[in-house]
Amino acid sequence: MRFAQGLVLESATMAREVTAGGTLTLTLRYRAERALDADYWIFVHVEAEAGGVDAARHSGDAAPPTPATGWGAQEVVHTVRIPVDGKDKPGRYAVYTGLYDRTSGHRLRVLDPPSPDDRVLLGTVDVVTEDADGSDRTVTGADIHMRTRLELWRLWAPWLLPIGIASGVAALLLRRRRAETSTDVDDETEADDRLSRAVRFLVLAVPAVLFFLGILVVLEFVKDDAYISFRYAHNLVTGQGLVFNHGERVEGFTNFLWVFVLAPFEALGWDLFQVCEVLGTLLGIACLVVTGRLTAWVNGDRRMLTQMWGALWLATSASFVLWAKSGLEQPLVSLLPIAGAFVLWRARSAAANERRYLVAGLIMGAGAMTRPELHLMAILVGLPLVVDAVRARRVRRAEWLYVAGILAVTVPCHAFRFFYYGTLIPNTFYAKTASGWIVWHEGIKTVADMFAFNHTGLLAVMAPLAFANRRRTLEKATMGAIVVAFLAFYASVGVDEMQWHRLFLPALPFLCVLAALGIQNLLDAVVNALERRGSVPAARTAAWCVGWAAVVVACRANFLFTYREVNGFNGHGDLAGTFHPDLGKFLVRHERPGGLVAFQDMGSTPYHAPDIDFLDFVGLVDKTVAHARHDMGLHAFVATNAETAARYEAQMRDYFFARNPEWTILTIYTPLGEETQVAKAFDEDPTGGAFGSVYGANAFEWHLWDDPRFRERYVPVRTWPRSAAYYLALWRRRDLWDRTPREVVLDAPPAELSGVHATFAGGLELLGSEMTHTTPERHEAFVTTWWKLPGPMPRDVYFFLHFVGGGAQIPADHVPGDWMYPADRWKAGQVLEDRTLFQVPPFTMLPGSYEVYLGAYRRSTGERLAIVAGGNAGENRVHLGTLVVTTFHPMIEQLIPPTRVDVMRKYPDRILDPHRLSGP
């Protein structure tokens, strides 16, 4: 294996197996022909074989034994030890290595064989739950050379071979049945007696029931990105236009029609989260119905109800179920293509009323306006019409009606988009895509991962057998073309940051239909062969029972995967889209309309800060960021050219400081193994000032932390810890922070104050209080206190709130003045209003009564400030009142209360005016 600058990798030795939670030891042997030009370190990556953004990955970076600048005409032996996470799933993991320059981050080029990501595949290691065998293997340079060349083939070999075999079997079966005439039937003439209707209802109801069980598992999952569409819908119905930031016409979404579907519900004031729960479920069930009916239409209704097989697999697919509940457009993009195809193909087959062609076109046009790639689907679904036109040597009126239906939807929508946004290409295209071999390389690995996910590859193996008979051959060929085209599209994307392969969902129902037909045809062939040999009649029943058993086992595996990954029927789902509301509402309390916030998660936070603008680190809703990345050929989720990436980040840092946002939210992805240190840093300073270099672990934020201008110009305010691996730290522009926050420092206390009065050590005086007394589960409560300040006190003097009830004490510690006025800035005689929004923690704060207590303490020591006068309720804290948490009623009450700007922004005229002009 030859690298640039005369470096050759001669061999590697590593363990065959490693126990999860153990350590993988790896020894690399290099030959250096001369000294390297830069300060290179060796990296090793251990990752799940198929890769992908969610794949487990462990790294081991270290300097070689000899300093890089001293290498020359010598053998270099490098040993690295990589801890393997105890949470990693058992299985086979690929081991890669390469070198990179620590100064620039550029990888040393791999010359022979060329590698798109400049790393080489050493081999694989098996992660086992216990009792690793302890043996090692040594691979030579020639072995590594071959593995690197054949890396993609190695991933695909387990699938391509059986797909090829299945294709051969299908061809053989079709050849034997060459004389068979088509058994196509007109679906309109099927029996319509009561028994037939009952059977068809059963066929359609069973997949729907299984799907609904899956919905209960992923209940309350919402992808944070869904709130982008929610915010566009909000701005549309409030008269701001179809924009994300007021006055900025940027198409930061790829689901045009979905936004308009949501807009009426937003206008009614309904909770879009819960609206999407219902819509997603209904659309998913409709997709299952069409999938089952299309299967029956191609191969006919079966006594053993095997036309249910494709719909059953789809109903239990973790991808289909999860994304039906995501708040995004996936359930609609799953339904529209197969519904449009079913309407069109039935109309074509039965010579039905020409209006059905128009209806099919309208459906496909709606699909095209729901996701851009469904323009391709509209063309592919119409391929049978193209064949008909070629055969007839003319285009019939009905075929023109299909095209007219598509154009009737797409032309007005595209015309609006062009005149409104000035382009037909969504901004998200520039933000998320790039070209080049490395993108395809990662995309092909992503598709391989999808084949392993929920055993999707088995569907692809069964699909060729759908062609073992001559029924509806053209329609089946079209479904095959759709599947192949969307596999290619998915590969071209490279890596999708969202889990469980959502981008293939438009084609997944077609693949399920083909697989169901394939299994039917295979069992038909087996049964026919048995009957020709004189087997007993029971053989037919036995064969179909085997088929049913296989389908049930596969569906059970799919469902159990979802059940395990999303923690069963506990009602939690994944609250990824529900943990930012307090952040958005905090910004509203302390910023004027039109203020600018830099952040990378364009979801729940912006939705809950509806009149504040956002600078998007990723670029979904920012033209400058998106176009800069795309013009440089960089991909948001695939590591490409490190030198170009460094230039891009430098350019974006300059752009950031030119925009001069009032607030910046830095997202912390805790490096593996540093969870304890990061948690300690947060405990030491919840404002985010103690995290240090851990900010640099996030590749999306342009390495702002490493730019001295950032720490010179911004001050940490508050951190939201979501988990041990994820923190959100809010920073304030220093020139604004240095001024007194007049929304919390008042000229005088309110008249007729009520509540407890108390004096604390050091002269800190509690003047009065008020609070929310009743709130539903998961909703929020305000606790407001007024204080007379004695002058500066130690910076780590914090206020605490305790909500005590149900055998638990839930804390809400914070910097005084709702995090905005630390004690070292106090001036004698000032009046401070500490108005704190308490968001009721989901699932941990159950319905009941909670006594609310207040006090002050030194965070560095934990010592509470003594109450020297007034109402001491014991333990140096005062009792403010009782908060009653009532039972949450879904659909009647909103899951998360929307932001009421007039309530959040209590003193709008007292908030500092940054004198910002709207727009970039």
Side-chain angles (χ1 to χ4, degrees):
M1 291 297 304
R2 181 170 291 276
F3 291 79
Q5 301 189 34
L7 183 66
V8 177
L9 175 60
E10 296 187 319
S11 67
T13 301
M14 59 184 175
R16 297 177 185 273
E17 295 182 350
V18 61
T19 305
T23 301
L24 172 65
T25 301
L26 178 71
T27 301
L28 303 169
R29 295 176 179 83
Y30 293 89
R31 186 181 74 254
E33 298 175 355
R34 61 181 179 84
L36 300 184
D37 295 339
D39 184 17
Y40 281 97
W41 274 27
I42 296 170
F43 69 82
V44 176
H45 295 161
V46 180
E47 58 191 48
E49 277 207 293
V53 73
D54 290 322
R57 173 171 171 173
H58 307 294
S59 299
D61 299 4
T66 304
T69 54
W71 288 16
Q74 59 185 296
E75 182 182 55
V76 177
V77 179
H78 177 70
T79 299
V80 61
R81 294 174 177 83
I82 302 175
V84 177
D85 196 329
K87 298 179 182 178
D88 283 348
K89 297 177 182 178
R92 184 153 293 179
Y93 286 68
V95 182
Y96 300 89
T97 190
L99 293 93
Y100 72 101
D101 180 356
R102 287 199 302 159
T103 303
S104 66
H106 303 166
R107 290 182 182 177
L108 187 65
R109 286 186 59 200
V110 179
L111 300 179
D112 185 22
S115 170
D117 52 358
D118 286 322
R119 62 179 188 171
V120 299
L121 176 63
L122 298 176
T124 59
V125 60
D126 291 328
V127 174
V128 297
T129 54
E130 57 185 14
D131 298 330
D133 64 13
S135 64
D136 293 334
R137 75 177 79 181
T138 298
V139 292
T140 65
D143 295 332
I144 299 170
H145 190 285
M146 181 181 299
R147 285 192 174 96
T148 301
R149 275 194 179 279
L150 301 179
E151 177 186 1
L152 293 180
W153 165 252
R154 181 178 57 84
L155 292 175
W156 278 97
W159 302 113
L160 293 180
L161 183 59
I163 289 173
I165 294 173
S167 300
V169 171
L172 179 62
L173 294 175
L174 183 62
R175 182 179 179 183
R176 288 186 175 182
R177 303 177 66 176
R178 182 73 66 179
E180 175 187 335
T181 58
S182 174
T183 57
D184 291 355
V185 294
D186 185 352
D187 211 318
E188 302 295 336
T189 62
E190 64 187 4
D192 198 34
D193 57 87
R194 182 176 299 178
L195 178 61
S196 297
R197 289 198 302 271
V199 170
R200 287 200 298 275
F201 175 79
L202 175 64
V203 169
L204 301 177
V206 173
V209 171
L210 293 179
F211 173 71
F212 188 73
L213 289 176
I215 290 293
L216 294 179
V217 171
V218 301
L219 193 63
E220 295 181 3
F221 167 81
V222 61
K223 185 63 178 173
D224 194 48
D225 299 58
Y227 285 89
I228 297 176
S229 302
F230 295 179
R231 176 156 162 147
Y232 272 96
H234 174 82
N235 284 337
L236 177 64
V237 302
T238 55
Q240 301 298 328
L242 199 58
V243 298
F244 191 85
N245 291 330
H246 296 177
E248 295 181 26
R249 293 190 177 186
V250 180
E251 190 176 7
F253 56 92
T254 50
N255 51 11
F256 186 85
L257 181 63
W258 187 244
V259 173
F260 282 88
V261 169
L262 297 178
F265 300 105
E266 177 71 10
L268 291 170
W270 293 11
D271 184 353
L272 292 186
F273 181 100
Q274 296 184 82
V275 166
C276 289
E277 284 188 323
V278 176
L279 280 180
T281 302
L282 295 178
L283 291 170
I285 291 173
C287 185
L288 295 173
V289 169
V290 178
T291 300
R293 293 197 65 188
L294 180 59
T295 307
W297 177 74
V298 174
N299 255 14
D301 288 321
R302 300 300 184 96
R303 293 181 180 176
M304 298 295 291
L305 304 182
T306 59
Q307 62 268 32
M308 293 170 54
W309 285 351
L312 285 171
W313 195 97
L314 185 63
T316 56
S317 163
S319 180
F320 183 73
V321 172
L322 184 80
W323 290 107
K325 272 292 291 88
S326 66
L328 288 168
E329 71 282 357
Q330 267 66 42
L332 191 58
V333 301
S334 299
L335 169 63
L336 292 176
I338 197 166
F342 186 48
V343 171
L344 179 66
W345 296 346
R346 286 186 65 194
R348 170 184 170 273
S349 174
N353 190 308
E354 290 181 343
R355 285 180 297 180
R356 291 195 178 185
Y357 288 77
L358 179 62
V359 171
L362 292 172
I363 293 172
M364 297 309 301
M369 297 317 303
T370 307
R371 287 285 306 182
E373 60 269 23
L374 293 197
H375 287 77
L376 171 63
M377 183 73 81
I379 296 171
L380 294 172
V381 165
L383 285 179
L385 303 185
V386 176
V387 173
D388 291 344
V390 171
R391 288 173 177 172
R393 297 185 180 180
R394 67 184 182 91
V395 181
R396 296 180 300 128
R397 181 174 181 272
E399 290 153 358
W400 282 118
L401 285 175
Y402 173 68
V403 177
I406 296 173
L407 296 179
V409 178
T410 57
V411 170
C413 291
H414 285 319
F416 168 80
R417 292 176 57 243
F418 181 79
F419 288 109
Y420 194 80
Y421 295 115
T423 178
L424 292 177
I425 301 177
N427 193 66
T428 48
F429 168 82
Y430 299 102
K432 286 191 172 185
T433 65
S435 58
W437 167 238
I438 188 171
V439 175
W440 277 95
H441 181 269
E442 292 302 311
I444 292 170
K445 291 170 66 177
T446 299
V447 173
D449 177 51
M450 184 184 73
F451 270 42
F453 178 80
N454 274 177
H455 312 291
T456 306
L458 295 178
L459 298 180
V461 172
M462 291 293 105
L465 294 168
F467 297 88
N469 63 39
R470 299 176 63 188
R471 294 190 185 102
R472 316 285 190 196
T473 300
L474 183 54
E475 288 83 356
K476 290 186 291 190
T478 302
M479 287 190 276
I482 289 170
V483 170
V484 172
F486 270 76
L487 288 175
F489 160 72
Y490 195 19
S492 72
V493 171
V495 171
D496 177 29
E497 85 283 9
M498 299 188 195
Q499 63 191 18
W500 294 4
H501 309 289
R502 68 181 178 109
L503 292 181
F504 188 69
L505 282 173
L508 184 59
F510 293 99
L511 180 59
C512 290
V513 171
L514 288 175
L517 296 174
I519 300 173
Q520 287 179 352
N521 290 343
L522 180 62
L523 291 178
D524 275 340
V526 171
V527 169
N528 291 338
L530 291 174
E531 290 179 344
R532 284 196 298 269
R533 293 174 179 268
S535 299
V536 295
R540 175 177 291 272
T541 301
W544 291 110
C545 286
V546 169
W548 264 109
V551 171
V552 168
V553 168
C555 291
R556 180 179 181 274
N558 284 354
F559 179 82
L560 289 179
F561 172 85
T562 310
Y563 188 88
R564 289 192 302 269
E565 292 294 314
V566 196
N567 302 313
F569 295 113
N570 63 1
H572 287 229
D574 178 349
L575 297 176
T578 65
F579 59 86
H580 294 334
D582 186 32
L583 203 167
K585 294 176 181 181
F586 179 89
L587 292 168
V588 171
R589 294 199 298 277
H590 301 292
E591 186 54 72
R592 288 178 176 243
L596 185 63
V597 181
F599 191 24
Q600 77 174 50
D601 293 339
M602 292 297 104
S604 178
T605 294
Y607 178 72
H608 287 281
D611 61 359
I612 294 176
D613 293 339
F614 284 79
L615 192 166
D616 179 8
F617 282 127
V618 177
L620 298 178
V621 297
D622 190 295
K623 286 183 179 179
T624 301
V625 175
H627 281 261
R629 180 188 289 115
H630 191 269
D631 292 347
M632 292 185 180
L634 300 173
H635 192 289
F637 308 107
V638 176
T640 48
N641 187 295
E643 184 176 356
T644 304
R647 285 192 287 109
Y648 162 76
E649 289 170 349
Q651 179 179 325
M652 289 299 97
R653 289 195 297 272
D654 290 340
Y655 173 65
F656 170 88
F657 291 113
R659 293 290 305 273
N660 204 25
E662 283 76 50
W663 307 83
T664 299
I665 305 168
L666 297 181
T667 303
I668 298 172
Y669 298 128
T670 308
L672 187 66
E674 297 184 21
E675 292 84 359
T676 301
Q677 299 94 304
V678 172
K680 183 178 179 181
F682 171 75
D683 189 61
E684 175 186 337
D685 183 1
T687 69
F691 287 122
S693 60
V694 73
Y695 284 116
N698 186 347
F700 292 108
E701 292 170 351
W702 310 330
H703 287 94
L704 271 177
W705 180 256
D706 299 322
D707 192 316
R709 291 177 292 179
F710 181 77
R711 279 169 280 176
E712 290 171 2
R713 300 184 189 183
Y714 287 84
V715 176
V717 176
R718 179 181 180 184
T719 297
W720 283 258
R722 185 205 170 194
S723 69
Y726 189 44
Y727 294 78
L728 299 168
L730 177 67
W731 293 64
R732 177 70 156 156
R733 214 172 69 201
R734 186 180 295 275
D735 62 311
L736 299 174
W737 178 259
D738 288 342
R739 298 167 62 185
T740 301
R742 297 179 63 248
E743 75 273 17
V744 299
V745 180
L746 307 183
D747 299 325
E752 301 179 358
L753 279 178
S754 60
V756 180
H757 183 281
T759 301
F760 291 77
L764 177 63
E765 186 178 356
L766 174 63
L767 302 177
S769 66
E770 68 178 23
M771 59 173 285
T772 304
H773 290 286
T774 304
T775 190
E777 291 176 275
R778 315 180 197 185
H779 280 220
E780 56 202 25
F782 272 114
V783 178
T784 307
T785 52
W786 289 270
W787 305 76
K788 185 175 182 180
L789 304 180
M793 296 185 76
R795 184 178 181 83
D796 68 337
V797 170
Y798 277 52
F799 292 161
F800 67 81
L801 290 168
H802 290 164
F803 296 80
V804 181
Q809 176 173 286
I810 299 166
D813 300 2
H814 58 280
V815 172
D818 194 19
W819 296 87
M820 293 296 293
Y821 205 49
D824 63 339
R825 301 182 61 194
W826 293 352
K827 294 181 175 61
Q830 287 181 324
V831 174
L832 177 70
E833 179 176 290
D834 184 62
R835 182 172 182 254
T836 299
L837 181 68
F838 175 71
Q839 186 171 323
V840 178
F843 312 112
T844 58
M845 196 166 175
L846 302 177
S849 295
Y850 294 84
E851 303 305 317
V852 183
Y853 297 91
L854 166 75
Y857 74 108
R858 293 284 305 277
R859 190 168 185 90
S860 59
T861 63
E863 182 181 359
R864 294 181 182 176
L865 272 63
I867 298 176
V868 296
N872 188 344
E875 301 178 331
N876 286 315
R877 60 183 186 176
V878 297
H879 181 248
L880 297 181
T882 302
L883 174 66
V884 177
V885 177
T886 61
T887 301
F888 169 73
H889 299 97
M891 309 309 298
I892 298 174
E893 297 169 319
Q894 297 200 338
L895 185 71
I896 299 171
T899 299
R900 288 188 54 188
V901 174
D902 58 329
V903 172
M904 288 294 147
R905 196 175 282 134
K906 187 176 181 182
Y907 305 111
D909 295 334
R910 296 184 64 86
I911 298 174
L912 295 175
D913 186 355
H915 302 289
R916 172 171 297 279
L917 297 176
S918 62

